[in-house]
Amino acid sequence: RTPAQPPDPDQEKLSNEAQEIEQYHRWKAWVKQDGLLLKDAPMDLRENRIIVETALQQNGLALYYALPHHKKNKNIVAIAMNQNPYALEFADPTIKDDYPFLRPFLAKHPEVTIFTSKRVRSTWLALHPELKDTIPGIQHTIAKDAEDTLAA
């Protein structure tokens, strides 16, 4: 292109699209290596389900940096919890109150009961009372649940 020629809008559009594609692949590779880098990803890429899922497959705790609509998505939360069950702490309250969804995770990792809703926690512990003495922090959580009930 010579300096006298006006810029070609189609060429600039292609250039921008190529840059976006390059940025997408670069971030996907980065979060595949370190899922916690999701916190630094541009907002449009934090919206991208594939980028989020890739980050969560590497580190489920990256759910902390996911956008709210991703934290409500059972499939995305399941990816995070399969990588690290403690990711439940960062899930949306609607997920923490979904007993049918959480039941298989609680069966494998009862220690994350402390992150469920009070309703799910009560149901789970009523079915498995032996866990009250084995889950770290559960006695404190049960006491807080009781206090919250009395205060209400």
Side-chain angles (χ1 to χ4, degrees):
R1 196 165 79 170
T2 64
Q5 288 181 314
D8 180 354
D10 290 335
Q11 187 63 36
E12 286 183 15
K13 183 179 178 184
L14 284 175
S15 177
N16 288 341
E17 288 175 8
Q19 288 175 356
E20 288 174 14
I21 291 169
E22 180 184 329
Q23 181 184 42
Y24 166 85
H25 288 291
R26 187 175 39 232
W27 274 99
K28 186 175 178 194
W30 287 340
V31 298
K32 189 174 185 175
Q33 293 296 311
D34 181 356
L36 296 178
L37 288 176
L38 183 62
K39 72 178 177 189
D40 298 320
M43 189 57 68
D44 63 320
L45 293 177
R46 290 178 65 202
E47 287 278 353
N48 185 292
R49 183 179 174 137
I50 294 171
I51 295 291
V52 172
E53 288 178 356
T54 301
L56 297 175
Q57 288 167 351
Q58 196 282 323
N59 189 330
L61 297 179
L63 187 62
Y64 179 82
Y65 300 110
L67 297 177
H69 66 277
H70 291 308
K71 294 178 180 191
K72 291 179 182 179
N73 184 303
K74 290 180 190 178
N75 294 326
I76 289 177
V77 173
I79 290 168
M81 290 183 66
N82 280 323
Q83 198 288 321
N84 186 327
Y86 287 90
L88 178 59
E89 180 177 4
F90 308 118
D92 186 80
T94 58
I95 297 285
K96 294 178 179 189
D97 195 46
D98 189 334
Y99 183 74
F101 171 74
L102 292 173
R103 187 175 45 229
F105 292 104
L106 296 175
K108 288 171 123 179
H109 303 282
E111 66 275 13
V112 300
T113 302
I114 60 175
F115 300 123
T116 64
S117 70
K118 180 180 174 183
R119 185 185 69 80
V120 168
R121 188 167 39 254
S122 297
T123 302
W124 184 251
L125 293 174
L127 294 170
H128 304 279
E130 72 281 2
L131 295 176
K132 290 180 183 178
D133 297 323
T134 61
I135 299 173
I138 198 69
Q139 292 297 336
H140 173 73
T141 303
I142 293 170
K144 184 165 177 3
D145 288 347
E147 287 174 15
D148 292 347
T149 300
L150 291 174

